[in-house]
Amino acid sequence: MQVKEILRVKGNRLLSVEPAGRAADAVKTMAEQNLGSLIVVEQGRMVGVLTFREILLAMAQRGSAIGEVRVGDIMVRDPVTAAPDMEVNDLRRAMLDSGARYLPVVQEGKLLGVISFRDVAKAVLEEQDFENKMLKGYIKNWPA
């Protein structure tokens, strides 16, 4: 299976696989690279996403063995996507509504990266920390 590095996002690599690739090879790549998802690309166009969830479902259906299963047979086709200017709450809602833990970020048909549920949770926490600091500063400086 050929794994391609298709771009760099914030210093992280975004790796892709082809739908004809073996799922077992994708698992190996995901484990080696500490990734929860791979973008599935065919002829330069995103056609799906493969996550550990789809791999686990495939293993459960096949009695733990994925052997010669192809990525295209188990990937999520036409995944829910995010726009680069989406607000954190909109991302969170899209993930909760769709059940997706990874959203490809697409602008004008071009894949820019992937945002994970962990990324969203981190952004929410940082936003809340900032708001708490601002509120505490405001209360501390409350006029008498």
Side-chain angles (χ1 to χ4, degrees):
M1 174 180 75
Q2 184 178 11
V3 175
K4 297 179 185 176
E5 183 175 328
I6 51 180
L7 57 99
R8 287 197 175 269
V9 182
K10 295 183 198 171
N12 296 322
R13 294 172 309 172
L14 179 62
L15 299 178
S16 71
V17 294
E18 295 180 355
R22 289 177 2 123
D25 294 334
V27 169
K28 183 177 179 190
T29 297
M30 292 167 77
E32 288 172 351
Q33 300 296 322
N34 193 27
L35 298 172
S37 68
L38 291 171
I39 298 297
V40 185
V41 175
E42 188 172 45
Q43 298 177 354
R45 187 176 71 83
M46 180 183 69
V47 294
V49 174
L50 180 67
T51 72
F52 273 119
R53 182 174 188 275
E54 287 74 46
I55 293 164
L56 290 173
L57 288 171
M59 290 174 71
Q61 293 169 351
R62 292 165 176 82
S64 300
I66 52 175
E68 296 300 317
V69 173
R70 298 291 166 200
V71 170
D73 295 335
I74 62 174
M75 70 182 186
V76 173
R77 296 179 185 280
D78 300 318
V80 174
T81 61
D85 59 351
M86 283 179 78
E87 296 288 328
V88 173
N89 282 333
D90 294 333
L91 287 167
R92 194 165 47 171
R93 175 63 52 208
M95 289 177 145
L96 289 171
D97 289 348
S98 68
R101 292 182 180 108
Y102 300 91
L103 294 181
V105 180
V106 178
Q107 184 175 34
E108 297 174 12
K110 182 180 178 188
L111 179 65
L112 301 178
V114 175
I115 191 158
S116 70
F117 196 80
R118 181 183 186 279
D119 297 330
V120 172
K122 182 180 175 192
V124 168
L125 185 61
E126 288 171 355
E127 189 176 280
Q128 288 174 344
D129 286 347
F130 175 75
E131 288 176 2
N132 286 340
K133 285 179 186 174
M134 297 302 290
L135 286 170
K136 287 176 182 176
Y138 180 75
I139 291 169
K140 182 179 178 182
N141 296 318
W142 188 276

